[in-house]
Amino acid sequence: MMRTPVHLRYTLAITAALLTGGSSADAQGSLGALGFGYPVNGVSTRTAGTVGALAEFDALTPINPSSIGGISRTVLSVQTEPEYRTLTIGGVREKTASQRVPLLMVVLPARHGVAVSFSARGFLDRSYTTSTTGSAVLDGATVPTTDKLEMRGAIGDLRGAVGWQIVPRVRVGLGGHIFTGEHQATRQRSFADTLLFGGTLDTSKVTYFGTALSFGGEAQLIKGLAVALSYRMGNDFDARIRDTTRATGAVPARLGAAVRYDGIPGAVFSVGYEQVRWSDMQPMASSRTTASDAANYFGGAEIAGPRVRGYPMMLRVGYARNALPFSTSAQVVQESRLGGGVGMPIARDAASIDFSLQRANRSLAGTTATERAWLLGLGVQIRP
């Protein structure tokens, strides 16, 4: 999960607008990249088409481990999700682009309704490049300078899970998680007069390691109506520099719930809610970063469309309202997303391909900063 290098030209006014509440931090190319980074959904492209509404029920989304219970066929899934952002402050616009592979997953059936899965998904993405101009006084002379900050890094979630379909109407599951990744910052200062003054370069790297357990369940209450619950219990989350632990927080605890209705043939409707305790990561953060707990809401539908070689195309739509976890003040970055998608069978039922498109709008109260983003999803599932 790496971001395409993008050079950004920031004025001091842009920096000041981002840094509310009297705090100070480095200019960044995205409201979503504040703090430890943007919370990558890490859901399947099918679920992305409903903007997260099917996450608790989707076997190819590593959120609720019970969703894989009863799977009777091996499934391999891979997807990509580039994002294109435009940040606007005042009358100034800056654009960034991000290329991610947010999810790799395999599900393996066992016996008696048991299945296991292994997945690697994005958790937090913090990659950006910024550039500011200024001046420095050297030997009594004022010299123009250019300061460039390049941040490359991400934290991923590696999960192994087992799900069990106890009876046709009830599933349960258990998952074990390893959260690991790194952030590497490179600061470079160059001078306008390169013959008299040499540039400076400084780099630093922080690595992260933590673990968690997740539990989940799904039950069909009546015909056509099902509910799902999941909970992630976080353990220690370490920030390390050169193998020395500098700070310890906890992997954020998460509680999710959803209701699904599929009583109409060829259609599925779902609404969901999740609470993520991002403040568990506050001990790892600097004084410039505030980690806030988030409540997120989802709603979406999947409907069978025209048939392709005897199999229906699936049409999807959804809406979500999210609170992003990190900011430079007590104000929280709010995000709304509207999206849709389509799923098409290929090679009959041996494989399928999914597309999704989401439009995200983000804003930070107390500033004029707004961000608009397009998230494009492409996923392939193979059932050998």
Side-chain angles (χ1 to χ4, degrees):
M1 293 175 287
M2 296 187 66
R3 171 162 300 173
T4 305
V6 180
H7 294 278
L8 305 176
R9 300 179 182 87
Y10 272 83
T11 64
L12 293 178
I14 295 177
T15 305
L18 278 175
L19 309 180
T20 60
S23 60
S24 61
D26 299 299
Q28 301 192 185
S30 169
L31 289 179
L34 295 173
F36 291 95
Y38 182 72
V40 182
N41 289 324
V43 299
S44 72
T45 307
R46 176 199 180 202
T47 293
T50 65
V51 198
L54 291 177
E56 295 287 340
F57 299 98
D58 184 12
L60 297 181
T61 293
I63 297 293
N64 187 335
S66 68
S67 63
I68 63 173
I71 295 294
S72 59
R73 191 169 179 179
T74 298
V75 183
L76 305 174
S77 177
V78 62
Q79 69 186 72
T80 182
E81 190 178 78
E83 179 179 355
Y84 303 93
R85 299 166 168 167
T86 300
L87 175 67
T88 303
I89 301 180
V92 181
R93 291 185 177 184
E94 296 293 347
K95 295 184 178 181
T96 59
S98 175
Q99 176 62 50
R100 303 190 187 103
V101 179
L103 178 61
L104 301 170
M105 187 170 182
V106 57
V107 181
L108 305 169
R111 295 182 178 180
H112 308 297
V114 176
V116 297
S117 73
F118 301 94
S119 62
R121 74 181 186 106
F123 181 62
L124 290 168
D125 176 37
R126 192 190 185 200
S127 298
Y128 59 89
T129 300
T130 66
S131 180
T132 58
T133 58
S135 61
V137 178
L138 301 174
D139 294 332
T142 301
V143 181
T145 62
T146 298
D147 293 298
K148 178 182 176 182
L149 172 64
E150 184 174 79
M151 178 66 71
R152 292 290 177 265
I155 300 175
D157 173 10
L158 307 178
R159 190 194 78 166
V162 58
W164 180 27
Q165 184 175 26
I166 303 174
V167 294
R169 292 190 173 189
V170 179
R171 301 177 183 179
V172 294
L174 172 67
H177 303 253
I178 296 176
F179 292 82
T180 184
E182 67 177 33
H183 290 158
Q184 180 166 311
T186 301
R187 298 174 184 268
Q188 183 177 6
R189 166 167 287 189
S190 58
F191 298 90
D193 192 339
T194 57
L195 297 178
L196 293 178
F197 303 100
T200 62
L201 180 67
D202 183 33
T203 63
S204 63
K205 183 170 71 172
V206 181
T207 60
Y208 302 94
F209 184 84
T211 61
L213 291 175
S214 61
F215 314 87
E218 178 184 333
Q220 183 177 342
L221 303 180
I222 58 176
K223 184 178 180 180
L225 185 65
V227 297
L229 294 171
S230 64
Y231 179 73
R232 183 180 67 216
M233 180 179 67
N235 299 319
D236 286 350
F237 205 179
D238 296 333
R240 302 172 179 175
I241 299 178
R242 296 180 180 178
D243 297 326
T244 300
T245 299
R246 296 302 179 93
T248 298
V251 173
R254 177 194 175 275
L255 175 65
V259 178
R260 182 190 68 202
Y261 178 73
D262 56 7
I264 301 175
V268 177
F269 304 89
S270 181
V271 293
Y273 167 83
E274 71 171 1
Q275 178 78 37
V276 186
R277 202 167 64 196
W278 293 103
S279 58
D280 290 344
M281 294 182 67
Q282 186 63 56
M284 304 164 60
S286 71
S287 59
R288 301 174 179 180
T289 298
T290 299
S292 302
D293 297 339
N296 304 322
Y297 304 86
F298 315 91
E302 180 181 63
I303 300 173
R307 288 184 170 269
V308 178
R309 296 182 180 180
Y311 293 89
M313 294 176 57
M314 304 306 297
L315 307 178
R316 301 164 185 133
V317 67
Y319 176 79
R321 182 71 179 174
N322 305 317
L324 300 190
F326 306 112
S327 182
T328 56
S329 69
Q331 300 294 337
V332 175
V333 177
Q334 297 289 343
E335 177 189 68
S336 63
R337 280 187 289 145
L338 178 65
V342 60
M344 297 186 297
I346 53 178
R348 297 186 177 181
D349 64 343
S352 60
I353 185 168
D354 295 310
F355 300 93
S356 67
L357 176 64
Q358 300 177 68
R359 178 63 166 175
N361 298 310
R362 302 167 188 141
S363 62
L364 178 61
T367 75
T368 61
T370 60
E371 186 171 272
R372 304 289 184 264
W374 290 102
L375 293 86
L376 310 179
L378 170 63
V380 177
Q381 296 79 44
I382 300 174
R383 305 171 184 86

